[in-house]
Amino acid sequence: MSNKLDTGIKNARNVNRYIFGRGAIQQLASIVSSRRNSAKDQVVFLIDEFFKTFPEPLGGLPRQGDDLVIFVSTRDEPTTDFIDALTEEAVSKGGREACAIVGIGGGITLDTAKAVSNLLTNGGHAADYQGWDRVKVPGVFKIGIPTLSGTGAEATRTCVMTNQENGLKLGMNSDHTVFDQLILDPDLTATVPRNQYFFSGMDAWIHCVEALSGSFRNPVGDAFSTQAINLCRDVFGGDEMMSDESRAKLMVASYLGGCAIATSYVGVVHPFSAGLSVVLGFHHCVANCIAMMAMEPYYPREYREFVDFVEKNEVHIPKGVCIGLVESQFDALYQSTIIHEKPLVNALGVSFRDNLTETRVRELFEKM
Ligand SMILES: [Fe+2]
């Protein structure tokens, strides 16, 4: 911490309860039944569409009566319209009176569950709550069950979504967005494709690398980041990134990485990654990895470690993604990168624009 600012922590909110361990999903039934009472007993399940075809890992849902199961498309990252449409679907089937909402899936599904839960009790539209502390009352009791590790969505107080009308990519940053209950069951990540497993896992590692390299620091965020990085090293530098032990470790790293970004800030990678998502439509985790391949000037040691992870685990990072783009697309990439002031100040200081000129930013995108 020698030359770093100790930012302290502003009254952080954590997940209320969590269960961790292989087979933990079997406890969903008792948790759900403890929420039911005769007046309000409907449960809304929001589930990654992957499990529509492969439901076996979930071991059967504790469904009854008016319970609602909605499969969430993960083709695109959530938009405010998408959240509104799912909320309407839930409301049309009595969802406002639900006693619990259960999100089962990766970051997209977990964020969707958090957002729909808030909207069911607060009313209005998703766009009304984009920003900080705009959610007025607690949402429906939220249960999160990650089936992919790395984004930290299970731990954070936001749920990322894009408002396509104004291009704003911003979540409902609120204490009410935090899950009330998590079920962390590493058996649920056994069927994830290897590339996707790597990209998502790297999101946790990148969050923590960026946080530890920044200037807005505090000992709590540093502790979460350091331990998450250690776990990621075991997983991606070890013999088999998807062994039972590795999947358990990565699930914990993801949770700790989520706690880390809730108490500190990211750096240069995430703004560039956001540019790739907004302009070229790449999903967050693969976009991070694409961006990381051009980050040697900013994170030289971490860049080398990242390349080692990629080679050791034989994963494929898309390359040449900006070849053939036109001037207006490079301009859009620049604008959607440079807009992320807080992380860029964290990484490069208040005069970050002196370093990240339009020419420089374009050179970096051309390296990806
Ligand atoms: Fe991220």
Side-chain angles (χ1 to χ4, degrees), residues 214-233:
S215 52
F216 300 128
R217 302 263 296 277
N218 64 75
V220 178
D222 282 8
F224 282 129
S225 292
T226 303
Q227 187 54 25
I229 284 177
N230 287 341
L231 290 165
C232 287
R233 269 192 196 129

Side-chain angles (χ1 to χ4, degrees), residues 203 207 270 284 288:
D203 196 17
H207 287 150
H270 271 73
H284 178 63
N288 279 344

Side-chain angles (χ1 to χ4, degrees), residues 70-82:
I70 300 174
F71 288 100
V72 177
S73 164
T74 55
R75 195 190 55 211
D76 301 314
E77 297 192 325
T79 63
T80 48
D81 288 345
F82 174 74

Side-chain angles (χ1 to χ4, degrees), residues 150-152 202-204 206-207 210 261 266 270 273 284-285 288:
T151 66
M202 278 297 116
D203 196 17
I206 291 170
H207 287 150
E210 290 181 284
I261 40 166
V266 290
H270 271 73
S273 166
H284 178 63
C285 298
N288 279 344

